[in-house]
């Protein structure tokens, strides 16, 4: 009888994630949402790729699309909701970021960091509204 080397699932997932990061680093335009949606397995894999697209590849547009896809499949996925809220905040899409931060806090109340971001988004929206009224 030979010795069987069992590779834990976690280690396999980590090496698979490294492969995704390497692909994204090498060819971020070639590896986008289409790649994420072809991945076998649960929504979490799309989330992982979307996070990599946002961070490693800097593909904000692709990350937005991938996170939107995640919440279309799993509307209560807090990782996707939070990332979408932050991305919309960074882009100055105040209404959408406020909506998503509120949704996150409804599902996971008491997150001080998200409460702070929500306050900032509301303030930025008020300022933007004030500016648009003064331009009229």
């Amino acid at each position: 009888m030979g010795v069987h080397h069992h590779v834990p699932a976690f280690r396999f997932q980590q090496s698979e994630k490294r492969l995704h990061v390497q692909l994204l680093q090498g060819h971020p335009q070639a590896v986008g949402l289409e790649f994420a949606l072809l991945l076998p397995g649960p929504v979490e894999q799309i989330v992982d790729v979307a996070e990599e697209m946002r961070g490693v590849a800097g593909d904000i547009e692709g990350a937005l699309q991938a996170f939107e896809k995640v919440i279309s499949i799993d509307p209560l996925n807090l990782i996707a909701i939070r990332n979408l809220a932050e991305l919309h905040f960074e882009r100055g899409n105040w209404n959408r970021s406020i909506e998503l931060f509120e949704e996150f806090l409804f599902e996971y109340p008491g997150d001080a960091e998200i409460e702070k971001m929500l306050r900032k988004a509301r303030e930025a929206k008020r300022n933007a509204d004030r500016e648009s009224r003064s331009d009229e």
Side-chain angles (χ1 to χ4, degrees), residues 64-75:
L64 278 167
Q65 291 176 26
F67 285 124
E68 288 288 355
K69 181 65 178 175
V70 169
I71 64 170
S72 76
I73 297 167
D74 180 8

Side-chain angles (χ1 to χ4, degrees), residues 94-114:
W94 309 125
N95 290 332
R96 184 71 173 131
S97 66
I98 290 168
E99 174 189 334
L100 289 161
F101 284 136
E102 287 173 345
E103 188 175 335
F104 183 93
L105 288 169
F106 180 79
E107 297 299 331
Y108 192 75
D111 185 307
E113 186 178 345
I114 296 300

Side-chain angles (χ1 to χ4, degrees), residues 44-56:
E44 285 75 19
Q45 287 185 323
I46 300 173
V47 169
D48 285 347
V49 171
E51 288 178 325
E52 291 161 10
M53 291 169 83
R54 179 183 180 189
V56 176

